[in-house]
Amino acid sequence: MKKTLLAAALVTGFAGVAHAESSVTLYGLVDAGYGYKQQKVSSDGVEYKNRNIGARNNVKNGSRWGMKGVEDLGNGTSAIFQLEGGFTPGDGKQAQGGRLFGRQAFVGLTGESWGTFTIGRQYNAADAFIAPIDPFGTGWAQAASNSAFGDSVSTRYDNAIKYVSPNFGGFQFGLGVVHDDTKETWKDAAGTRTEKTTGSGVTFGAGYNAGPLALGVSFDYLRNKQKVNGQTTTDDKTKAWNLGAAYDLDVVKLHAIVGQQRDGVIGGLGLADDLFDNLSEIGITGAAPSGKGLRQTSWLAGVTAPVGDAGKVLFSYTGNRIKHNDFGDARVKTNIFSLGYQHNLSKRTQVYALASYGQSKLTNRGANLADVKLKSTDVAVGLQHRF
C-alpha cells in the first residue's frame, strides 16, 4: 500500500514538472453592447443620411478566442505558438473574412537573452510600439486612431517573419519582413506568356517605456509589383511612419502621435473612406485617392485619467490632411473628437460608454464644384468579458 502511494506521489510530481515545462492556454474576449451611429454626406444642397440603432459587436475590442502555448527547450529558450480567431457575438460568425485564425497564427522561438523570433500571420511592429500610446488602444470604434491614421498604427501581415529584441532597461525594438514571389507561365501555339507578382515589405519599430515616459517609432514599407511578359504593369511602393509619446502625471496621462502615409495606404484612409464610399449616393463620381502621389498626414492628442480605483475617462482628438498629385488642389480634411469611460466590475469584466463625433471634408474640387462634407456620430454602451 505504501509503495502504491509513493508511486502515485511520484507520478503526480512528474506531471506537475511536465505541465510547468510545456503548457497550452485557452483565452478569449467577448465584447457586445448597444449603440447609435449616423453618417450624413452632403454637397450643394444634396444630402444622403444613414442611421442605425441597435445591438453592436466589438466596440471596445474585437471579440476573439485563441490558444497559446510554450515549451521549455532548456538553456533559457522556449518554443511558442499562438492561434487566434475573431468573431461577432451578435450572430456567432467568424471575423477577418471568415478565417479560422484570422487575428494571429504563428510559431516561433523565444529566449530571455536574445529575444523572440516568429513566423506566420502577425501584427506589424507599430502595433507593439505605437498602438499602446493611443488612449483608446486602436479600439472603441470611431474613436480609434485608425480613423485618422488608417491601419498603419496596427495591422496584420500574412506570412511574416518577425524578430523582437529583449527589453534593455525599457528599450526594445522589432523588425519584420514579408515576401511572396509568384510566377505563372502559359505556352501554346501563340507563344509564351508570363505573369509575375512580387509582394514584399518591411516593418520596423522601436520604443522606450520606463517610469512615467513611453516613446515609440515605427516604419512600414510595402511594395507590390506585377510584370506581364517582362513589362511592369504595377509597381506600388507604400511608405508609412509614426512617432508617439505618452507621459503619466498620475492625475492624468498625456498622449500624442503623429504620422504619415505616402504613395499608398495601409488599410485605407480611415473616416475619409466613408466620405468617398458615399459619394455616389449624392450623385458624385469619384474614388478614394491611392497609389503614387498620395500623402496623408495624421495626428492625435489625448488624455486619460483614473476615476477612483475602478474607472477611467478617455479623450482624444485625431485628424488628418490628405492630398494626391492627381487631385490637383483638392484636399480632404478630417477631425474627430472622442470621449469614453470604462469601469471595471472585476479583473476580467468591464462596462463602458463611448461618444464620438467626426467630420471629413473634401474641398477645392475645381471650378464651380461645391465642397463635400461627411458628418459622423457614434454613441455606444457595452459590456466586455475576458477569459
Side-chain angles (χ1 to χ4, degrees):
M1 181 67 177
K2 291 182 179 179
K3 291 182 178 179
T4 303
L5 292 174
L6 178 60
L10 289 172
V11 170
T12 303
F14 285 132
V17 172
H19 177 73
E21 292 180 347
S22 179
S23 65
V24 176
T25 302
L26 176 67
Y27 68 94
L29 177 160
V30 185
D31 187 305
Y34 193 85
Y36 165 91
K37 186 170 183 178
Q38 176 179 286
Q39 291 190 330
K40 182 175 72 172
V41 181
S42 60
S43 178
D44 198 22
V46 181
E47 178 182 293
Y48 166 74
K49 184 188 298 184
N50 65 74
R51 173 189 59 78
N52 176 264
I53 302 175
R56 296 277 295 275
N57 298 301
N58 306 333
V59 176
K60 185 176 182 292
N61 295 108
S63 297
R64 71 203 68 170
W65 73 279
M67 297 174 287
K68 54 186 175 182
V70 57
E71 180 188 15
D72 189 351
L73 302 177
N75 298 319
T77 299
S78 298
I80 59 172
F81 79 88
Q82 188 165 356
L83 303 172
E84 185 177 280
F87 63 93
T88 51
D91 55 17
K93 294 182 179 180
Q94 291 180 340
Q96 287 80 49
R99 302 187 190 203
L100 178 60
F101 297 116
R103 293 183 61 88
Q104 298 185 82
F106 63 79
V107 65
L109 296 172
T110 185
E112 294 181 2
S113 61
W114 57 269
T116 301
F117 174 82
T118 49
I119 304 174
R121 178 169 169 81
Q122 48 194 317
Y123 286 96
N124 67 341
D127 181 78
F129 301 108
I130 298 296
I133 295 175
D134 177 1
F136 292 94
T138 65
W140 296 78
Q142 183 173 283
S145 56
N146 309 69
S147 295
F149 289 75
D151 289 344
S152 66
V153 291
S154 177
T155 193
R156 304 178 185 95
Y157 294 139
D158 291 336
N159 305 312
I161 302 172
K162 189 165 73 171
Y163 168 76
V164 179
S165 75
N167 191 311
F168 302 106
F171 173 78
Q172 197 172 23
F173 70 90
L175 175 66
V177 295
V178 181
H179 184 75
D180 185 72
D181 192 323
T182 301
K183 184 177 181 180
E184 298 177 277
T185 303
W186 294 265
K187 288 185 178 181
D188 54 28
T192 301
R193 182 169 64 90
T194 63
E195 288 188 12
K196 183 177 180 181
T197 303
T198 304
S200 58
V202 176
T203 178
F204 170 79
Y208 175 81
N209 194 339
L213 179 64
L215 300 172
V217 59
S218 72
F219 176 77
D220 284 53
Y221 172 81
L222 300 176
R223 185 176 186 182
N224 181 31
K225 186 176 183 179
Q226 186 177 56
K227 286 187 175 182
V228 177
N229 295 329
Q231 299 296 315
T232 300
T233 57
T234 302
D235 193 3
D236 295 328
K237 303 174 184 178
T238 300
K239 286 85 68 177
W241 61 264
N242 295 291
L243 295 171
Y247 195 85
D248 194 344
L249 299 170
D250 292 331
V251 179
V252 297
K253 187 174 183 178
L254 308 177
H255 309 252
I257 306 174
V258 62
Q260 191 173 91
Q261 297 191 94
R262 298 186 68 107
D263 297 325
V265 294
I266 299 176
L269 301 168
L271 186 62
D273 279 329
D274 293 337
L275 183 153
F276 286 100
D277 288 345
N278 288 301
L279 286 181
S280 61
E281 303 292 348
I282 56 174
I284 296 176
T285 301
S290 62
K292 187 176 181 180
L294 171 72
R295 185 171 71 181
Q296 175 187 3
T297 303
S298 309
W299 56 85
L300 174 150
V303 177
T304 57
V307 179
D309 295 329
K312 182 163 68 171
V313 173
L314 310 92
F315 170 80
S316 74
Y317 159 62
T318 56
N320 66 33
R321 297 293 181 269
I322 303 167
K323 67 178 183 178
H324 195 290
N325 291 343
D326 293 342
F327 275 41
D329 293 329
R331 299 287 186 273
V332 180
K333 302 178 181 179
T334 300
N335 296 286
I336 305 170
F337 300 88
S338 303
L339 179 67
Y341 176 75
Q342 66 180 43
H343 188 86
N344 298 324
L345 301 178
S346 70
K347 290 183 178 180
R348 297 187 298 166
T349 305
Q350 294 181 342
V351 291
Y352 60 83
L354 164 71
S356 177
Y357 173 79
Q359 187 178 101
S360 191
K361 189 175 182 181
L362 175 60
T363 62
N364 300 327
R365 295 198 299 135
N368 303 317
L369 294 176
D371 296 342
V372 184
K373 183 182 293 186
L374 167 75
K375 296 181 179 180
S376 180
T377 303
D378 194 359
V379 179
V381 294
L383 172 68
Q384 181 182 113
H385 176 74
R386 295 174 180 264
F387 62 89

